[in-house]
């Protein structure tokens, strides 16, 4: 759908700033090799994307377990415990975040995303091949400026380690900048939409000429 939208709009030059978030970053990353000719920038928004999703056997196995639980339990799945396991186990997610994920839901429909999303990837072999190919392209072929933007109060993912990882892993990116969105958690576009937009627009303006020398870690803005 990303490629069809770009084709429909008629973009043929490097004008696209792609913003990827959380699990949606898997979809965005897989599309990146095909976006190469029109991609101008990449914004990684509260997502520890990269090989830790489907790119390792552990990540792949955890996703299969998630699928299996959904098939067996439906919307009775233990959302809090499942998210803690997905994040890497106890200690990787705060107690407050675990409690929020496992909080009483108004109804079972409120777990629809966690139940339906894993079932969209039934061709696991095809998904893994496409994602692995995209990871290889990112490491060797992604040569556009990157912004790692996180909500400053994210209880699930942490900006410092994510920025350090991407700065090391995206070897050909001319710059890997970072910004913390004040007063925002894991969903900054919902909690602090104006500040998130301002951070992305500022990044677009400073990289209008196509980026600069590779950046060093800068203090989080708050």
């Amino acid at each position: 759908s990303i490629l069809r939208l770009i084709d429909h709009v008629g973009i043929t030059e490097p004008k696209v700033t792609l913003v990827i978030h959380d699990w949606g970053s898997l979809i965005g990353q897989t599309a990146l090799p095909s976006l190469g000719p029109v991609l101008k920038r990449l914004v990684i928004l509260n997502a520890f994307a990269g090989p830790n999703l489907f790119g390792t056997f552990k990540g792949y196995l955890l996703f299969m377990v998630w699928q299996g639980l959904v098939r067996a339990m439906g919307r009775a799945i233990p959302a809090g415990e499942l998210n803690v396991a997905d994040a890497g186990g106890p200690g990787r997610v705060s107690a407050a975040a675990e409690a929020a994920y496992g909080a009483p839901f108004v109804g079972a429909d409120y777990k629809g995303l966690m139940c339906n999303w894993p079932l969209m990837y039934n061709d696991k072999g095809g998904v893994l091949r496409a994602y692995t190919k995209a990871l290889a392209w990112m490491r060797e072929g992604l040569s556009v400026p990157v912004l790692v933007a996180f909500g400053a109060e994210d209880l699930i993912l942490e900006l410092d380690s994510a920025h350090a990882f991407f700065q090391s892993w995206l070897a050909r990116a001319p710059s890997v900048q970072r910004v913390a969105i004040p007063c925002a958690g894991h969903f900054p576009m919902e909690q602090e939409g104006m500040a998130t937009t301002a951070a992305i627009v500022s990044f677009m303006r400073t990289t209008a000429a196509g980026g600069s020398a590779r950046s060093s870690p800068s203090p989080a803005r708050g």
Side-chain angles (χ1 to χ4, degrees):
S1 59
I2 297 175
L3 299 177
R4 288 181 179 178
L5 174 61
I6 291 172
D7 183 63
H8 176 74
V9 175
I11 298 175
T12 58
E13 302 175 356
K15 294 183 177 180
V16 174
T17 299
L18 183 66
V19 181
I20 60 177
H21 174 262
D22 197 58
W23 276 102
S25 64
L26 187 154
I27 300 171
Q29 286 182 106
T30 303
L32 278 173
S34 299
L35 294 177
V38 298
L39 187 67
K40 190 172 182 66
R41 307 172 192 86
L42 175 64
V43 177
I44 300 171
L45 188 65
N46 288 74
F48 210 110
N52 292 327
L53 289 176
F54 275 164
T56 65
F57 177 76
K58 179 181 178 182
Y60 184 58
L61 181 61
L62 286 173
F63 187 76
M64 291 177 64
V65 170
W66 185 355
Q67 275 193 332
L69 284 173
V70 170
R71 295 185 190 280
M73 302 178 66
R75 298 187 180 183
I77 59 173
E81 292 87 342
L82 188 59
N83 274 282
V84 170
D86 178 59
R92 297 297 301 276
V93 172
S94 69
E98 180 179 358
Y101 273 120
F105 289 86
V106 177
D109 287 347
Y110 283 75
K111 294 185 181 181
L113 177 61
M114 287 197 68
C115 292
N116 296 333
W117 186 85
L119 300 182
M120 296 173 64
Y121 293 89
N122 289 318
D123 180 12
K124 290 184 285 292
V127 171
L128 181 59
R129 285 191 296 272
Y131 189 66
T132 302
K133 180 180 178 181
L135 290 177
W137 183 88
M138 285 183 70
R139 183 167 178 79
E140 302 298 332
L142 185 68
S143 56
V144 299
V146 177
L147 174 65
V148 182
F150 276 40
E153 299 177 11
D154 192 338
L155 299 175
I156 302 170
L157 302 175
E158 191 265 325
L159 175 60
D160 289 340
S161 57
H163 176 257
F165 167 77
F166 285 115
Q167 194 171 46
S168 172
W169 186 58
L170 297 175
R172 294 195 60 199
S175 65
V176 181
Q177 302 179 31
R178 54 170 282 167
V179 63
I181 310 298
C183 304
H186 190 60
F187 299 93
M189 61 285 194
E190 296 179 3
Q191 297 156 330
E192 293 292 335
M194 295 296 290
T196 303
T197 300
I200 295 174
V201 170
S202 175
F203 169 64
M204 293 173 67
R205 287 174 176 166
T206 59
T207 55
S212 57
R214 199 167 169 75
S215 69
S216 58
S218 58
R221 296 198 322 216

